[in-house]
Amino acid sequence: PIYYNLLADVYYREGFKFGTDKKWNEGKNLIQKAVELNPTNANYWYDLGGFAYNAQDYVKAKEAWSKAYQLNPKDTNIIKVQGILK
């Protein structure tokens, strides 16, 4: 499990870098891999939602943000995005 978490972190960081260049789909795909390896990390889900939203994949964004909220309902950033995609 520790190796999965380390690999997930690598995918997450590499995916997040694509945001700088607004390559939302590429970043989304890598962050999705991070989520698959570590599905209990609310921040991964939150950022997956952000990348999906920017890539205009609103279904995936809503799914990811909902999961982030399930995992960490007290995070103020996660709470803020809950009403975006009703």
Side-chain angles (χ1 to χ4, degrees), residues 45-65:
W45 283 103
Y46 172 75
D47 287 328
L48 176 61
F51 272 74
Y53 183 84
N54 286 318
Q56 299 180 349
D57 185 350
Y58 302 120
V59 172
K60 175 59 92 177
K62 184 175 182 177
E63 172 191 314
W65 285 337

Side-chain angles (χ1 to χ4, degrees), residues 16-42:
F16 204 81
K17 289 178 186 178
F18 281 104
T20 304
D21 297 326
K22 297 185 180 182
K23 294 182 178 179
W24 306 116
N25 280 315
E26 293 89 339
K28 179 181 77 165
N29 292 336
L30 288 173
I31 295 173
Q32 177 66 47
K33 290 181 180 187
V35 162
E36 290 168 6
L37 290 168
N38 186 355
T40 61
N41 187 313

